[in-house]
Amino acid sequence: MAKSKLPKQAEDFPGWYVEVVKQAGMAEHGPAKGSMIIKPHGYAVWEHTQRALDDRFKATGHENFYFPLLIPMHLLEKEADHIEGFAPEVAVVTHGGGQELDEPLAIRPTSETVIWNTYSRWIQSYRDLPLLYNQWCNVLRWEMRTRLFLRTSEFLWQEGHTAHATEQEAVEETLRMLEVYREVSEDVLAIPVLSGRKSANERFPGAVETYTIEGLMRDRKALQCGTSHFLGQNFAKAYDVTFLNADGHQEHAWATSWGFSARMVGATIMTHGDDNGLRLPPAVAPVQVVIVPIYKTDDERDAVLGVATRMRDELAGGHNVRVRLDDRDQHRPGFKFSEWELKGVPLRLEIGPRDVAGDQVVVADRVGGTKKQLSTGEAIASMREMLDGVQRALFDEAVSFRDANTRDISSYDEFVEGVEAEGGFWRGVWCGDAECETTISDKTKATIRLLPIETEDPGAACMHCGKPGTERATWARAY
Ligand SMILES: [Zn+2]
């Protein structure tokens, strides 16, 4: 497949994103409006992300379960704030088997309702608590303006739903899972994030507090990367989930929910990609090392492929590297170089006849842009270390970029002009008033991405209205 040139990020970031997602074989639009077909190269990044999350869920004591896609409407409507928040996005099945249904069925936009309805049977006594469960599934939220991975009607995610005997336990759980999300974003996807709390305007419908991790993409727009909600007793009250506590009294259970979705594949593309295509962190790269053999004659081909095959087997076997030998005869090496560059493979090994004679190989680094010659033995022995180096380099580069684009607001006017001209994160004092927040958002198209996890008195006046400040808010334009 011939590739056309990618638009330059600096000139047309949205155009770059659309083209790189398409040309690198990550995803494409589905036939129904708002839907997405995830292609193998994109799905594999999600699989590695899933595994990293799931291992950590299990390590923190959680188990997976699975709830139905369809939710009877009356269940969805029980928690008032929740349904008010989700109503505009819910798709409803009204017909089945050629007949109108007695009761319409909602396609889950999230599963708190059906899960808490069920928890009312599962939870009777303090001895039944905590329940630490998670499900991997798809959800549907009606969307007219789609952007592959970032905003589609149907998307893949996990949703954790836990129940606890005390408020303190539930709050601790909410923050523990936020920390798991931070760790996976930073250590696995190499995306640096800020952790914090949402303002009331930005809170999950039905939550007491919503905590978030937020990343900064290369176009200087923020992206919400994962949220963890402390739901208080709201869902327990709506679905009548009570338990007998240790003192013999009936109490409502305390709830959390937390979600991390396949939009993070999009975040990975937009945090690390450059004008030549993707740059994938080795931890989630479907192919970590590609070997490109270089030859002209049949004799050269035999010799080069002999060495290349041996290297592939050693890297895949003893060293547990995800390696691909690109032995396609119908493409020239130059074509293969740019294709694997576009697909973001972290390291490329080039082997030609002269390399075979000298028992050496050229290692090209997608992130650093460097090439070096190593003996084949040395290359194999140091491959894991080199991959770790790429992982670190991507993270360090993203941290520098984020920090260079994070500013403290010295005046409201500076913020209004600055966020328009430069994007990025802007930290300033806010009075805590939702109307003031909305006024600022309407003016700047920026939203409060997060507040500190613990409220601290900023000791200054609100940057906009001059009333006493209650919070130091971080603002940005966001996806
Ligand atoms: Zn204010």
Side-chain angles (χ1 to χ4, degrees):
M1 182 173 59
K3 312 282 182 192
S4 55
K5 218 166 166 341
L6 292 174
K8 293 251 180 287
Q9 283 190 336
E11 289 161 16
D12 178 11
F13 195 85
W16 172 86
Y17 181 76
V18 167
E19 277 304 307
V20 82
V21 165
K22 188 169 98 182
Q23 292 188 24
M26 302 296 276
E28 60 187 48
H29 291 282
K33 203 164 179 175
S35 67
M36 170 170 71
I37 295 163
I38 307 178
K39 296 175 78 176
H41 200 54
Y43 197 77
V45 172
W46 176 234
E47 282 182 311
H48 292 300
T49 308
Q50 271 187 306
R51 198 163 308 156
L53 282 166
D54 203 62
D55 286 348
R56 286 163 175 83
F57 295 161
K58 305 273 167 64
T60 45
H62 302 83
E63 292 173 283
N64 289 330
F65 61 11
Y66 186 78
F67 270 70
L69 171 73
L70 298 175
I71 304 176
M73 274 313 280
H74 78 273
L75 280 188
L76 202 68
E77 288 163 352
K78 277 192 176 173
E79 212 289 332
D81 289 341
H82 187 70
I83 186 60
E84 196 189 317
F86 277 105
E89 301 177 350
V90 173
V92 181
V93 178
T94 56
H95 289 72
Q99 302 212 321
E100 188 168 347
L101 303 178
D102 291 338
E103 183 184 7
L105 301 169
I107 299 176
R108 65 178 162 224
T110 177
S111 303
E112 278 77 4
T113 55
V114 61
I115 286 174
W116 276 83
N117 180 63
T118 305
Y119 281 178
S120 68
R121 287 187 286 107
W122 291 3
I123 299 170
Q124 306 294 333
S125 144
Y126 70 94
R127 292 183 193 91
D128 299 327
L129 294 170
L131 299 185
L132 303 174
Y133 298 139
N134 170 68
Q135 78 171 345
W136 290 97
C137 65
N138 57 347
V139 289
L140 194 81
R141 298 179 187 175
W142 212 252
E143 272 298 341
M144 297 317 283
R145 299 178 50 193
T146 60
R147 202 188 290 255
L148 293 174
F149 289 113
L150 302 178
R151 198 169 288 281
T152 53
S153 288
E154 179 189 357
F155 59 88
L156 301 179
W157 78 342
Q158 59 71 217
E159 44 179 321
H161 295 278
T162 69
H164 305 265
T166 67
E167 175 175 16
Q168 190 195 337
E169 254 187 54
V171 170
E172 282 169 9
E173 166 78 4
T174 311
L175 293 171
R176 182 180 305 120
M177 301 326 286
L178 187 76
E179 176 59 15
V180 165
Y181 288 168
R182 184 203 62 75
E183 193 180 292
V184 169
S185 292
E186 298 199 330
D187 298 354
V188 179
L189 300 174
I191 300 173
V193 291
L194 303 174
S195 304
R197 182 168 41 94
K198 286 290 188 190
S199 67
N201 275 347
E202 303 279 329
R203 215 175 266 156
F204 178 76
V208 175
E209 288 287 6
T210 288
Y211 297 90
T212 182
I213 51 169
E214 301 275 331
L216 193 69
M217 307 297 102
R218 278 162 80 99
D219 59 351
R220 299 176 178 82
K221 280 169 82 171
L223 185 83
Q224 181 176 297
C225 293
T227 48
S228 185
H229 316 291
F230 169 58
L231 303 173
Q233 294 172 307
N234 292 343
F235 284 87
K237 285 176 180 161
Y239 295 89
D240 198 23
V241 183
T242 58
F243 67 96
L244 206 58
N245 70 18
D247 303 327
H249 299 296
Q250 287 288 336
E251 262 191 74
H252 284 105
W254 298 85
T256 83
S257 69
W258 23 278
F260 191 106
S261 79
R263 83 180 331 208
M264 291 305 285
V265 178
T268 304
I269 297 169
M270 291 198 300
T271 301
H272 304 305
D274 67 11
D275 285 342
N276 295 323
L278 303 178
R279 296 191 305 169
L280 292 176
V284 293
V287 178
Q288 296 170 317
V289 177
V290 64
I291 305 176
V292 178
I294 301 165
Y295 51 82
K296 289 205 178 76
T297 66
D298 283 349
D299 282 351
E300 286 176 356
R301 184 178 186 278
D302 289 347
V304 166
L305 279 182
V307 173
T309 305
R310 222 171 28 246
M311 285 197 79
R312 179 196 62 192
D313 293 347
E314 277 192 48
L315 286 169
H319 295 78
N320 215 9
V321 171
R322 294 193 288 274
V323 57
R324 174 86 57 90
L325 169 55
D326 187 354
D327 56 1
R328 294 174 295 174
D329 271 328
Q330 68 271 36
H331 293 301
R332 302 179 64 82
F335 176 93
K336 295 177 181 178
F337 291 176
S338 52
E339 177 165 285
W340 293 113
E341 225 167 67
L342 175 69
K343 283 176 168 283
V345 173
L347 296 175
R348 179 178 75 230
L349 306 185
E350 305 167 9
I351 308 176
R354 236 177 300 168
D355 299 308
V356 171
D359 187 32
Q360 61 199 20
V361 58
V362 171
V363 183
D365 174 353
R366 174 70 180 88
V367 171
T370 56
K371 277 193 185 195
K372 62 182 170 189
Q373 211 155 41
L374 296 176
S375 74
T376 54
E378 211 180 332
I380 288 168
S382 60
M383 196 60 68
R384 287 250 55 112
E385 203 179 306
M386 287 191 277
L387 288 168
D388 290 346
V390 174
Q391 181 84 25
R392 260 196 316 277
L394 276 176
F395 181 71
D396 291 348
E397 194 182 317
V399 169
S400 303
F401 179 82
R402 193 266 315 272
D403 291 352
N405 288 287
T406 301
R407 294 172 184 81
D408 285 314
I409 300 170
S410 53
S411 77
Y412 182 61
D413 290 344
E414 179 210 26
F415 165 58
V416 172
E417 282 168 32
V419 79
E420 162 81 31
E422 298 156 41
F425 284 125
W426 292 77
R427 276 190 305 246
V429 178
W430 174 53
C431 58
D433 181 68
E435 265 178 61
C436 180
E437 177 188 5
T438 305
T439 311
I440 298 170
S441 288
D442 289 348
K443 170 86 180 163
T444 60
K445 300 195 199 75
T447 46
I448 295 182
R449 302 318 303 160
L450 53 93
L451 305 164
I453 287 180
E454 302 285 348
T455 307
E456 300 154 28
D457 181 3
C462 174
M463 66 166 176
H464 177 249
C465 68
K467 283 192 282 189
T470 59
E471 304 267 15
R472 200 171 291 278
T474 301
W475 297 77
R477 289 186 178 177
Y479 279 95

